[in-house]
Amino acid sequence: MPAITVPDISVLPRIPESDPLTARMRPVRSVTTAPHGLEGEGFPVRRAFSGVDLAELDPFVHLDQMGEVEYAPGEPKGTPWHPHRGFETVTYIIDGTFEHHDSNGGGGLITNGDTQWMTAGAGILHIEKPPEELVVSGGLFHGFQLWVNLPRAQKWLAPRYQDLRAQEVAVASSPDGGALVRIIAGEIAGQKGPGSTYTPMTMVHATLSPGARLTLPWRADYNALVYAMSGFGTAGEAAVPFATGQLAVFGSGNTLTVAASQSQESRSPNLELLILGGRPIGEPIAWMGPFVMNTREEIMTAIADYQAGRLGTIPATTAIHNAPTSIVESGPSERRPD
Ligand code: MN
């Protein structure tokens, strides 16, 4: 796993022990299993948020674990040109390389621990694919793409990109050194990650050694989602089991805890977690394919604008993200009591 690693975890800043007087532990509300699917031109994904109510995910909409897959030569795949409007994407590449180009002439390469933050805002066309030399050679590919919703007032912002390199990620350890914590966005115990979305959020990639526990302060005004990309562990004080490809949704509180099982498989010796939280937007959602808006009318407008070339001028093909092909609507999010 070439995502940021450190030779000596003991020299990292330590996240302090939680204070039992002020810590309010978040309970686990649900554990769901991500179904497998194919994205773009046919790369394998796990749809991490499948089966979870949009109100629980708010401000997030969609999360794909891309791979982990070992491609044969000639096999690596990407997406065709496709549009987006109304939200932001965060693409985190753990192993391998992704290349992107957009209809504004922007582009770049992200690899091994890098992230790309794209505000689609009012609209953009882009393509995401492995570079030609990797198509030829094949190789390991593993990453994530997260969709972060934008509030109504910000859906019409001009598109923007931030490409962040792996070295910019803040790293810390748990008090006993059993967990490596990579802070990609947001702040944990004074350590600040480089990523920035319009909607405030925290994103952490944590690696827990067998038997290790990780307890993090977690903003009470954010939601809390923990996805196991590989390994076996438990979520919450109640030690709810979860494993590779499963998402734990936490309830309210200001602290969350997870632990790695003592016994792991040799192919994934540690528990690898993606930990996400953001400030809920609390607006109605109308989502179809690559468009996330507030109303059906805005979805119809987005489709018309796309078809008329108003989202960009690159010749578009038909395939788009394997997201809803009819409109999915959700009322304003209301967090139910735990
Ligand atoms: Mn895209």
Side-chain angles (χ1 to χ4, degrees):
M1 176 170 297
I4 274 284
T5 50
V6 290
D8 182 6
I9 198 170
S10 70
V11 302
L12 297 179
R14 306 244 165 158
I15 294 162
E17 301 274 4
S18 65
D19 179 350
L21 292 177
T22 55
R24 287 181 294 116
M25 280 292 176
R26 289 173 176 262
V28 174
R29 278 182 171 168
S30 64
V31 171
T32 46
T33 301
H36 290 269
L38 291 175
E39 182 57 83
E41 291 170 335
F43 58 91
V45 296
R46 281 195 172 102
R47 304 200 181 280
F49 290 169
S50 184
V52 181
D53 198 281
L54 281 172
E56 298 272 6
L57 301 173
D58 188 12
F60 307 117
V61 177
H62 180 71
L63 177 66
D64 271 349
Q65 181 182 13
M66 308 183 290
E68 180 173 20
V69 57
E70 181 77 39
Y71 283 125
E75 211 180 32
K77 295 178 178 69
T79 70
W81 283 93
H82 59 276
H84 291 295
R85 173 180 280 176
F87 64 102
E88 302 181 89
T89 61
V90 178
T91 307
Y92 176 41
I93 299 297
I94 297 171
D95 291 286
T97 303
F98 234 25
E99 188 179 69
H100 63 274
H101 297 285
D102 70 55
S103 49
N104 296 334
L109 203 66
I110 46 172
T111 184
N112 299 344
D114 297 343
T115 53
Q116 183 209 74
W117 302 68
M118 183 187 83
T119 305
I124 196 164
L125 288 191
H126 75 160
I127 183 168
E128 304 154 285
K129 62 183 179 61
E132 197 51 46
E133 65 271 21
L134 279 190
V135 175
V136 172
S137 67
L140 188 58
F141 180 70
H142 187 202
F144 283 87
Q145 189 169 86
L146 172 71
W147 292 12
V148 187
N149 201 2
L150 284 166
R152 190 190 310 268
Q154 293 178 322
K155 286 190 184 293
W156 301 96
L157 290 167
R160 72 165 184 183
Y161 276 111
Q162 311 160 68
D163 277 348
L164 303 178
R165 298 300 156 207
Q167 297 74 23
E168 299 174 60
V169 168
V171 282
S173 87
S174 57
D176 65 1
L180 171 62
V181 178
R182 304 166 188 83
I183 303 151
I184 299 166
E187 186 179 330
I188 302 280
Q191 303 299 315
K192 208 167 181 310
S196 154
T197 40
Y198 284 96
T199 301
M201 61 168 280
T202 298
M203 175 168 161
V204 166
H205 171 188
T207 301
L208 280 69
S209 305
R213 171 167 293 282
L214 176 63
T215 300
L216 295 176
W218 204 255
R219 289 180 56 136
D221 58 338
Y222 283 11
N223 64 347
L225 309 168
V226 181
Y227 178 76
M229 57 182 100
S230 62
F232 295 86
T234 63
E237 280 188 317
V240 180
F242 75 134
T244 307
Q246 292 192 309
L247 178 80
V249 177
F250 285 72
S252 53
N254 63 11
T255 307
L256 68 81
T257 191
V258 287
S261 305
Q262 200 58 250
S263 167
Q264 303 284 340
E265 290 180 350
S266 58
R267 63 177 170 171
S268 54
N270 300 308
L271 176 65
E272 300 285 345
L273 301 174
L274 194 70
I275 308 177
L276 297 167
R279 187 194 298 157
I281 293 169
E283 292 178 2
I285 295 169
W287 173 20
M288 193 180 95
F291 308 121
V292 183
M293 305 301 291
N294 294 111
T295 67
R296 297 180 72 88
E297 292 69 30
E298 289 166 341
I299 293 289
M300 302 317 285
T301 303
I303 294 167
D305 286 351
Y306 168 53
Q307 288 171 346
R310 288 189 286 267
L311 296 188
T313 52
I314 301 298
T317 52
T318 52
I320 53 177
H321 285 286
N322 185 11
T325 52
S326 57
I327 298 175
V328 173
E329 291 180 276
S330 155
S333 69
E334 281 174 34
R335 313 205 41 203
R336 58 181 167 82
D338 297 313

